[in-house]
Amino acid sequence: MPTALLSLVTWNSAESIEACLASVLAQSYTDFEVWVVDNDSYDDTCSRVAALAATDARLSLHQLPRNTGFCGGHNYSLDRTTHELVLLVNPDVEMAPDYLERAVAAIRQHEQIGTVCGLLLQSSEEDPRIDSAGMQALADGRFGLRLHGRRLSEVGALAQAHVDGADGALPLFRREFIDDLRVQGEFFDARFFAHKEDWDIAWRGRLYGWKTLFEPACRALHPRQFLPANLRLRRRLSGAIRTDAVKNQWLLLLKNTTSRQAPGLLLRALPRQLAILGYAALAERESLQAVRYLWQHWRDVQATRQLVQLRARQPWLPPAQPAGVTPLLSICVPTYHRPELLARALRSIGPLPAEVEVIISDNSTHNDFSEKVSAHVLHNQPGGRWRYYRNPAGGSAATNWVACVERARGHYILMLHDDDYLLPGGLLTMLHTLRRVRQQQHAVLFGVSVVDGNRQELQRQVPRHTTYLPPTQAVEALLTDSALVRIPALVVSREAYLRTGGPDPTQRDTDDTDLWLRVFAYGGVLQVPAVTAAYSVHDGALTTGMFQEQNIQLLLRIFQKARTHNLLPESRLRQAESHFFHQFVLAGAYRALRQHDAAGARKVLQLLQLPALRHLPVSLRWLPVRWGLHLLTLVRWSPPTPPRLVSWLRPSL
């Protein structure tokens, strides 16, 4: 694979794309490939790119079905490649032939240099005006283009210098920098679409300890056209762009301002932002949509802020260890006669970073379909980073789990069952967190998307805040919420597995909850509000598999173990027990009704009359739900699936 990726995002760029690509393909540094990601252009951009691609194998065209903006387009290429270096190229840029060569040499001067930016000029005249020489952070939370508009002759000799950030037109990024800056899997925040996203990257890079180097020997032509602070130009822009200019500035401040920066920075930023708000109210009403957007997405913005600030409190660390050393994460994929689902799970992992290994542990004995699927899907992955094992006949899910732990070499282990899958960017989000907490946490619980057999999302189960629950609180949370843990969302240290033992086969279908009890009692759990995986719910098995007296007795054994080991005071354990079983049983009845099985729902509700459950206290939270479901079984009515109700009635399957 080439060392560098050159990523271009186009949208109706026919006027400039050929000159841009000519300068790209003429670079003296030749170890690269070019991805042109087109955002559903309606001019002939794609035909022009395709014609060039037919003459140079380094160039490929990727056409998107809709306009995802600068952010979405570059995220598309970043999420599907693993090149050591990535140069973002605006389609209106023309590079000097040695731009990439000099930029690569500059970024390799020190491992803490995450970005290199060059000298961008507005024209090719003898004494051109400077477009940018990197960016500088301003006191009010904005960024300015260094030396913008000045004649080259005015500034004298330019030298290498560390700057506050790089303009988005032509920055060279180190892959470790890209992966470190990802939030919930995204490098560029897709909410920015196409404006101030480079400010966001510059701010986060500084917070995280990375350096941006300005290399004046890297030169390119970039006739800038978009300066929204110019009111005459601003009035000619579309309402969507003007709204983004307001919204994105607020996103920048809300996400990236640290508690230490807040008093001084917000004091300087507030007068300008109030003036912008007043101007919008008087002369640019469409920009008030920014207020509405933040109101509607406030919780998502807060979740992003928590992740950014959590990372900002950690020191910069050297790039991840090279291949051949102990992996940070082992992804274990237990499978059994479901090759089509196994293929989906393996594809979802994406390109394997050096610190990740994949282990497929196969209980299938009738054929070798799963082995062939594994070899086919993973054939492009580095050979030393994945292994396939066929287990002897007669094993169970529990023995397969134990086999996975024994074969894993990673510091952490993720169990990704063959019917579940990772979401785009999910693996990188996990790695970002695990690098920071490796010496501190034994269990990390991420968010999960609960999906049906058609991959339609039923609900999102996401921790509200980044929170560490010490052992007692973690045990209480587990024994209160029967759906707290979805397996593909929980990463556990290998040490915790070895110290607490694997699944107890005698617990049958409840062995995972029993295992989490021991893991949480050992080291607690860190909850992270980032959705990383999809958990598949198979409706056909819900009422027949779990909601029966045998499993009630098995779950009661788990509570008895908690009593035996004094993990919780009896009063709190009894209260947790009541919540757990009411949630579990009522969820089973609800889902039976959803399948138009009133008789099955009545049978599930009768479980609450078992001697061991009959005397549990009933909280006001569950009493109306219990009465309501009983009434629905009498009238044989299938309830709807409003999100709030589903979030209350989620079974641990």
Side-chain angles (χ1 to χ4, degrees):
M1 183 177 66
T3 303
L5 170 73
L6 276 61
S7 176
L8 283 82
V9 173
T10 57
W11 183 69
N12 298 325
S13 308
E15 290 186 4
S16 62
I17 190 61
E18 290 171 314
C20 174
L21 287 175
S23 74
V24 164
L25 297 174
Q27 290 297 298
S28 57
Y29 184 95
T30 59
D31 190 23
F32 66 85
E33 65 176 312
V34 185
W35 281 33
V36 176
V37 180
D38 185 75
N39 269 321
D40 195 26
S41 294
Y42 52 77
D43 65 3
D44 63 343
T45 297
C46 291
S47 62
R48 296 185 184 215
V49 174
L52 286 171
T55 66
D56 197 315
R58 295 174 297 174
L59 175 60
S60 60
L61 172 64
H62 304 260
Q63 294 178 258
L64 303 185
R66 61 185 180 87
N67 188 356
T68 63
F70 179 95
C71 297
H74 282 303
N75 281 345
Y76 177 91
S77 59
L78 296 178
D79 292 347
R80 290 163 175 80
T81 58
T82 58
H83 300 76
E84 174 192 345
L85 302 170
V86 178
L87 180 70
L88 307 189
V89 185
N90 267 22
D92 59 349
V93 161
E94 294 180 38
M95 294 189 288
D98 60 352
Y99 187 101
L100 182 57
E101 181 179 1
R102 291 180 179 275
V104 170
I107 205 169
R108 286 178 171 164
Q109 291 178 13
H110 194 278
E111 61 185 1
Q112 200 168 356
I113 299 173
T115 310
V116 167
C117 58
L119 179 64
L120 304 186
L121 304 171
Q122 292 185 349
S123 68
S124 56
E125 60 185 311
E126 183 176 347
D127 187 18
R129 293 190 183 276
I130 295 172
D131 178 59
S132 75
M135 296 195 302
Q136 61 187 32
L138 305 180
D140 61 355
R142 296 179 298 138
F143 282 77
L145 298 174
R146 293 179 68 244
L147 307 180
H148 176 74
R150 298 182 64 182
R151 292 287 183 183
L152 191 58
S153 59
E154 296 176 14
V155 299
L158 294 171
Q160 275 191 2
H162 289 296
V163 295
D164 294 332
D167 175 69
L170 201 58
L172 178 70
F173 294 134
R174 188 187 296 269
R175 176 63 66 167
E176 291 87 355
F177 172 83
I178 292 170
D179 291 344
D180 190 26
L181 262 67
R182 290 180 183 270
V183 179
Q184 293 185 317
E186 290 185 331
F187 177 66
F188 285 116
D189 188 333
R191 293 172 295 198
F192 282 65
F193 193 75
H195 183 47
K196 296 183 180 176
E197 73 293 323
D198 48 359
W199 295 11
D200 187 41
I201 294 302
W203 198 334
R204 260 187 290 149
R206 296 179 72 210
L207 283 180
Y208 295 3
W210 290 94
K211 304 294 185 182
T212 298
L213 182 67
F214 166 63
E215 171 54 85
C218 296
R219 297 200 174 189
L221 176 65
H222 183 230
R224 185 173 302 270
Q225 299 177 356
F226 179 35
L227 290 171
N230 184 318
L231 290 182
R232 285 186 299 175
L233 174 60
R234 185 182 182 92
R235 293 190 185 100
R236 298 201 300 267
L237 299 173
S238 72
I241 292 177
R242 288 184 289 190
T243 299
D244 276 349
V246 177
K247 177 200 69 180
N248 293 351
Q249 180 63 58
W250 294 346
L251 284 173
L252 281 167
L253 293 169
L254 291 169
K255 286 170 37 178
N256 300 321
T257 304
T258 67
S259 56
R260 173 179 289 185
Q261 293 173 329
L265 191 150
L266 294 181
L267 185 63
R268 295 181 177 92
L270 191 59
R272 179 182 179 86
Q273 298 310 313
L274 289 176
I276 290 173
L277 192 61
Y279 175 79
L282 294 173
E284 196 175 281
R285 299 294 294 274
E286 65 270 24
S287 292
L288 294 178
Q289 292 294 321
V291 179
R292 181 180 180 184
Y293 179 92
L294 291 176
W295 177 264
Q296 293 175 334
H297 298 85
W298 181 252
R299 182 170 292 182
D300 291 339
V301 175
Q302 286 294 99
T304 305
R305 172 177 171 77
Q306 289 177 11
L307 293 172
V308 170
Q309 298 304 316
L310 174 67
R311 168 62 185 88
R313 290 193 290 270
Q314 305 296 326
W316 178 86
L317 296 176
Q321 68 261 8
V325 301
T326 301
L328 175 63
L329 178 66
S330 296
I331 302 177
C332 294
V333 189
T335 186
Y336 179 65
H337 288 311
R338 296 194 287 199
E340 69 288 344
L341 292 178
L342 174 63
R344 182 183 71 178
L346 294 177
R347 288 192 184 100
S348 76
I349 296 172
L352 281 175
E355 53 198 330
V356 178
E357 67 170 2
V358 174
I359 297 167
I360 303 100
S361 186
D362 188 6
N363 271 3
S364 306
T365 54
H366 301 330
N367 56 58
D368 61 354
F369 294 163
S370 294
E371 181 176 8
K372 291 179 178 178
V373 161
S374 300
H376 174 71
V377 173
L378 300 176
H379 76 281
N380 283 329
Q381 302 282 16
R385 297 186 198 159
W386 69 273
R387 306 191 300 281
Y388 169 88
Y389 297 92
R390 176 80 66 84
N391 300 322
S396 65
T399 61
N400 200 351
W401 196 309
V402 172
C404 284
V405 173
E406 291 175 346
R407 292 160 175 160
R409 298 182 295 112
H411 185 83
Y412 287 99
I413 297 175
L414 169 69
M415 289 293 174
L416 183 68
H417 287 156
D418 57 11
D419 57 341
D420 301 325
Y421 53 91
L422 296 180
L423 298 176
L427 175 57
L428 294 174
T429 298
M430 289 182 176
L431 292 176
H432 168 77
T433 301
L434 297 179
R435 292 186 195 115
R436 303 299 158 188
V437 304
R438 176 170 180 168
Q439 305 302 326
Q440 307 165 31
Q441 304 294 340
H442 286 287
V444 184
L445 181 63
F446 296 91
V448 68
S449 172
V450 181
V451 300
D452 62 17
N454 297 318
R455 301 183 68 171
Q456 295 297 311
E457 185 173 88
L458 303 175
Q459 68 177 88
R460 286 205 163 197
Q461 186 175 323
V462 192
R464 291 186 177 181
H465 307 286
T466 299
T467 309
Y468 169 66
L469 300 179
T472 299
Q473 293 180 26
V475 166
E476 186 170 19
L478 176 72
L479 296 182
T480 298
D481 184 350
S482 67
L484 178 70
V485 177
R486 309 288 191 177
I487 292 175
L490 182 66
V491 179
V492 178
S493 72
R494 189 167 182 269
E495 176 187 333
Y497 274 129
L498 296 176
R499 293 288 183 89
T500 61
D504 179 355
T506 66
Q507 287 287 156
R508 299 178 181 270
D509 290 337
T510 65
D511 58 351
D512 54 344
T513 303
D514 177 72
L515 177 57
W516 307 144
L517 177 71
R518 284 175 274 133
V519 168
F520 286 10
Y522 175 73
V525 63
L526 176 69
Q527 296 180 305
V528 179
V531 179
T532 57
Y535 174 84
S536 297
V537 172
H538 302 287
D539 289 338
L542 285 171
T543 56
T544 58
M546 283 295 291
F547 303 103
Q548 53 181 303
E549 182 176 356
Q550 179 186 26
N551 282 330
I552 295 294
Q553 297 301 329
L554 291 171
L555 290 168
L556 286 167
R557 284 178 56 188
I558 297 174
F559 281 87
Q560 188 55 45
K561 291 178 183 179
R563 285 189 173 88
T564 301
H565 293 91
N566 295 316
L567 299 182
L568 281 177
E570 179 58 30
S571 60
R572 289 163 61 183
L573 185 59
R574 189 71 170 170
Q575 185 179 29
E577 195 171 23
S578 174
H579 281 297
F580 185 98
F581 282 106
H582 276 89
Q583 180 187 19
F584 180 77
V585 172
L586 296 176
Y590 168 79
R591 290 189 175 271
L593 285 169
R594 287 287 300 157
Q595 297 175 25
H596 309 287
D597 183 8
R602 283 194 294 271
K603 186 176 180 181
V604 174
L605 286 173
Q606 288 171 3
L607 293 173
L608 292 173
Q609 300 303 318
L610 291 172
L613 302 185
R614 188 165 51 218
H615 301 296
L616 290 176
V618 184
S619 72
L620 293 177
R621 175 183 181 183
W622 298 115
L623 193 59
V625 181
R626 184 170 173 177
W627 287 344
L629 290 176
H630 179 71
L631 178 61
L632 293 180
T633 63
L634 296 179
V635 299
R636 298 175 180 270
W637 186 66
S638 177
T641 57
R644 291 184 180 178
L645 184 59
V646 172
S647 67
W648 270 28
L649 301 178
R650 53 190 189 195
S652 55
L653 296 179

